[in-house]
Amino acid sequence: MTFIKMPDYSIYIENNGLNNLFKYIEEIYPYKDVFVVTDQTVFKLYHQRLLDVLPDYRISFVIVSDGEKSKSIEVYQYVIEQLIEQGMKRTHLLISLGGGVVGDLAGFVSATLYRGVSYIQIPTTLLAQVDSSIGGKVAIDLKEGKNLIGAFYNPKLVLIDPVFLRTLSKREYANGLAEMIKAGLIGDKKLYHFLLENEEVGEHEIAMAIHVKREVVLTDPYDHKERMYLNFGHTFGHAIEKKHGYELYKHGEAISYGMLIALEIGVHMNETKPELYDEVKDQLIKRGLVKEPLLLLENYKDEILTDKKNLADGLRFIIVPKVGEVKIVKVKASDLT
Ligand code: NAD
Ligand code: MG
């Protein structure tokens, strides 16, 4: 078991940790009613497990459809109404069981229902285990854009059980690996090299990736500087997602192309060695995260220039001169072609 302390909650990473869920719950919660928000796929795969590991609890489930469309106002309202109907009170505990969609949605429900109820995150995708369940950001989408309504609201604990990853599709697994490769590149050489040489990740590597995010989150808990370094590969990544409506490319795939662009910019500036670019490219191709021909920056110029996050006086690109080192550079709009 690996334990990571955040300022006001704990992260436990443990193979088969789900079996010990009752112990974790007992530490933070005196009652026997729990309310679980999950999606259809995760419900089908794991609801019996949950009933088995919490025999002494009364468990109510609220199930939403899989996918980003569940991060909507309508589904948010549905979840809240279901929880109230099933008898959830202000003192009760909510459990978010699922990937980043369920985590963001259930987290936002927790932040707002009765002005805030306690919740725990049990992330079941690799992306949720290394990224979305960490850092306290919860949100839903509007048709105008992703994550436009949200809050900073920390869970009481995060329980990460790598055994969940066994049922993930290859594509979903790779989606999480992309954020891990990013974490390695910006902040952990050992993690980066592990991922070059190994197919699968476990407790230890998940912990390494979380540590990279933790460091940034602790220096910028309310995201005033957009948790800058974590956005390596994301300027171009967001442009790809925007242009293709968040459907064609998964987030991990979009940021994989973005990391390559950022490395290429580093090479052009004589900051990054071309060998690093080649090594990362091979790795991303091997994982099925990018395909050749690679997407070109110039085809996404409009999306980049209309992104509110990009500054009027130029684009900030995070480049990686060496594995584990980051540097912020400004690129003029005219440099994009
Ligand atoms: P997801 O939640 O949609 O999960 C992907 C698919 O995997 C779903 O169909 C789900 O049912 C299925 N699934 C989940 N666990 C499974 C398991 N163990 N076995 C088999 N199938 C399983 O997608 P995601 O990639 O986990 O999360 C994406 C979301 O995370 C986006 O909405 C994004 O905005 C958000 N996000 C939030 C933060 C944050 O800081 N809050 C950070 C990054 C991403
Ligand atoms: Mg990301």
Side-chain angles (χ1 to χ4, degrees):
M1 201 266 277
T2 309
F3 168 68
I4 299 176
K5 186 88 198 83
M6 297 299 280
D8 46 11
Y9 62 102
S10 307
I11 303 165
Y12 299 94
I13 311 169
E14 183 181 15
N15 275 320
N16 288 309
L18 191 64
N19 294 339
N20 298 323
L21 181 59
F22 69 98
K23 287 190 208 145
Y24 293 120
I25 293 180
E26 270 173 8
E27 281 174 28
I28 55 154
Y29 180 65
Y31 310 114
K32 294 290 176 198
D33 300 276
V34 293
F35 296 78
V36 180
V37 178
T38 189
D39 70 20
Q40 270 159 352
T41 296
V42 178
F43 179 79
K44 266 188 226 125
L45 288 168
Y46 295 106
H47 86 278
Q48 191 54 50
R49 278 293 311 285
L50 209 67
L51 296 172
D52 292 345
V53 299
L54 295 179
D56 302 333
Y57 285 76
R58 283 178 297 277
I59 310 176
S60 308
F61 286 94
V62 178
I63 305 155
V64 303
S65 305
D66 287 25
E68 187 71 28
K69 57 189 181 310
S70 281
K71 277 174 62 175
S72 67
I73 297 217
E74 292 74 21
V75 177
Y76 164 76
Q77 182 177 354
Y78 168 80
V79 173
I80 296 240
E81 285 171 358
Q82 283 292 313
L83 290 169
I84 293 172
E85 203 175 302
Q86 297 190 29
M88 181 157 184
K89 303 283 183 284
R90 213 170 92 88
T91 49
H92 283 148
L93 179 74
L94 190 149
I95 299 177
S96 154
L97 178 73
V101 163
V102 166
D104 279 12
L105 170 70
F108 186 60
V109 165
S110 304
T112 48
L113 175 60
Y114 308 131
R115 297 198 184 86
V117 296
S118 299
Y119 79 116
I120 66 180
Q121 289 272 20
I122 308 182
T124 62
T125 63
L126 185 54
L127 182 117
Q129 296 191 344
V130 298
D131 190 353
S132 63
S133 68
I134 313 298
K137 287 209 268 178
V138 295
I140 55 173
D141 305 333
L142 291 177
K143 69 174 188 325
E144 287 79 5
K146 258 174 71 87
N147 300 323
L148 293 186
I149 303 181
F152 291 93
Y153 194 67
N154 285 324
K156 286 282 176 280
L157 73 88
V158 181
L159 172 59
I160 296 174
D161 183 347
V163 172
F164 281 116
L165 305 178
R166 290 183 192 159
T167 52
L168 269 191
S169 69
K170 193 168 176 274
R171 194 172 179 204
E172 290 297 347
Y173 198 87
N175 189 43
L177 279 174
E179 290 285 3
M180 293 184 81
I181 293 167
K182 180 202 77 181
L185 277 167
I186 64 171
D188 191 334
K189 236 165 145 168
K190 274 196 188 143
L191 174 60
Y192 173 80
H193 287 290
F194 179 93
L195 295 171
L196 280 183
E197 284 146 30
N198 296 276
E199 283 283 306
E200 282 180 31
V201 299
E203 217 179 281
H204 189 54
E205 293 71 47
I206 291 170
M208 289 201 256
I210 291 174
H211 274 292
V212 173
K213 181 160 184 179
R214 180 180 184 274
E215 290 304 305
V216 181
V217 167
L218 292 188
T219 55
D220 184 18
Y222 295 105
D223 207 2
H224 293 305
K225 291 174 295 199
E226 289 171 35
R227 294 182 181 173
M228 198 77 167
Y229 298 150
L230 297 174
N231 275 342
F232 174 64
H234 282 58
T235 305
F236 186 51
H238 287 149
I240 295 170
E241 291 180 308
K242 209 163 149 188
K243 183 156 178 161
H244 300 285
Y246 301 92
E247 295 276 309
L248 191 55
Y249 296 100
K250 298 207 68 72
H251 179 69
E253 294 160 0
I255 67 152
S256 293
Y257 286 105
M259 289 192 281
L260 289 178
I261 295 279
L263 288 167
E264 202 184 344
I265 291 172
V267 172
H268 285 311
M269 293 180 149
N270 282 323
E271 296 270 5
T272 307
K273 289 214 178 76
E275 292 77 23
L276 180 61
Y277 173 89
D278 291 337
E279 191 175 77
V280 175
K281 186 172 122 182
D282 290 348
Q283 154 87 319
L284 296 175
I285 289 176
K286 191 181 83 187
R287 304 283 188 181
L289 282 161
V290 302
K291 287 193 189 74
E292 291 190 286
L294 297 176
L295 302 179
L296 298 176
L297 186 56
E298 60 201 53
N299 296 337
Y300 295 85
K301 211 176 158 178
D302 291 348
E303 285 73 21
I304 290 178
L305 295 178
T306 53
D307 191 333
K308 284 192 294 295
K309 282 183 181 166
N310 295 322
L311 299 179
D313 58 340
L315 304 165
R316 284 170 310 187
F317 267 88
I318 298 126
I319 63 167
V320 169
K322 276 201 192 101
V323 177
E325 276 176 32
V326 273
K327 192 168 168 179
I328 294 167
V329 297
K330 280 202 178 169
V331 177
K332 286 194 294 301
S334 55
D335 292 337
L336 291 184
T337 44

